[in-house]
Amino acid sequence: MSEPRFDPTGFDPENFDPDDLDRVIQDAERTMSRLADVQEELAGLRGHGTGAGDLIDVVTDATGRVERIDLNPRVMRMDSRTLADELTSAIRSAQEDGERRARELLAGAGVSVPGADFSADFGEVEKRMTRGHEPFAREMNRRMAEGPGRFPGGG
């Protein structure tokens, strides 16, 4: 007999009560719905940063790309090196703000992605979820094809 596999969800597709299947499906549907909502909110997320005593204002999009830079005319009094440093600082601040907002949004939805880089494509998260679902779906299809006697407690 093979070693039991660790599943962080606590669900073992090879040893479960068929009565739990409805609960598992409902939980999965709620989770997918919640993640779709979160994905939509993440797509609209913006980060804000300032520099040079609020004379520079930067907005980044959900991927961390600069969407807008507003410069107060007084920044033109700065030498080019100082202006470049202040711009860089404001951009980093906006990107960090966007990442912080994304972490808060995901935490509020009950999604934990430790060490996640939120400037990465959200599609990577979807790929990870799909990879985790595929073995479960294969096992369920196999068991259903073999008949109800393959489920523990199921005849």
Side-chain angles (χ1 to χ4, degrees), residues 78-94:
M78 295 179 183
D79 65 89
S80 62
R81 180 78 251 148
T82 302
L83 179 57
D85 289 345
E86 290 294 333
L87 268 169
T88 301
S89 176
I91 291 168
R92 283 191 186 130
S93 177

Side-chain angles (χ1 to χ4, degrees), residues 28 40 42 45 56 60 65 75 77 80 82-83 87 94 112 118-119 124-125 127 131 134 138 141-142 146 150 153:
E40 189 175 317
L42 280 173
L45 187 128
I56 299 172
T60 56
R65 289 188 183 114
V75 300
R77 296 178 188 159
S80 62
T82 302
L83 179 57
L87 268 169
S112 174
F118 294 106
S119 63
E124 181 59 31
V125 174
K127 285 179 195 173
R131 280 194 304 263
E134 287 171 351
R138 278 194 304 272
N141 288 334
R142 183 182 68 78
E146 291 178 4
R150 280 293 295 143

Side-chain angles (χ1 to χ4, degrees), residues 86-123:
E86 290 294 333
L87 268 169
T88 301
S89 176
I91 291 168
R92 283 191 186 130
S93 177
Q95 290 168 332
E96 290 168 1
D97 180 56
E99 288 181 14
R100 179 190 54 76
R101 289 173 186 242
R103 278 192 300 276
E104 289 173 359
L105 177 63
L106 290 171
V111 178
S112 174
V113 186
D117 175 9
F118 294 106
S119 63
D121 184 8
F122 190 79

Side-chain angles (χ1 to χ4, degrees), residues 125-143:
V125 174
E126 184 178 20
K127 285 179 195 173
R128 289 179 189 172
M129 291 177 59
T130 301
R131 280 194 304 263
H133 169 75
E134 287 171 351
F136 170 75
R138 278 194 304 272
E139 181 65 20
M140 290 302 301
N141 288 334
R142 183 182 68 78
R143 286 176 177 247

Side-chain angles (χ1 to χ4, degrees), residues 18-29:
D19 295 334
D20 291 338
L21 187 56
D22 284 336
R23 179 190 54 80
V24 170
I25 290 171
Q26 289 171 354
D27 287 350
E29 288 171 347

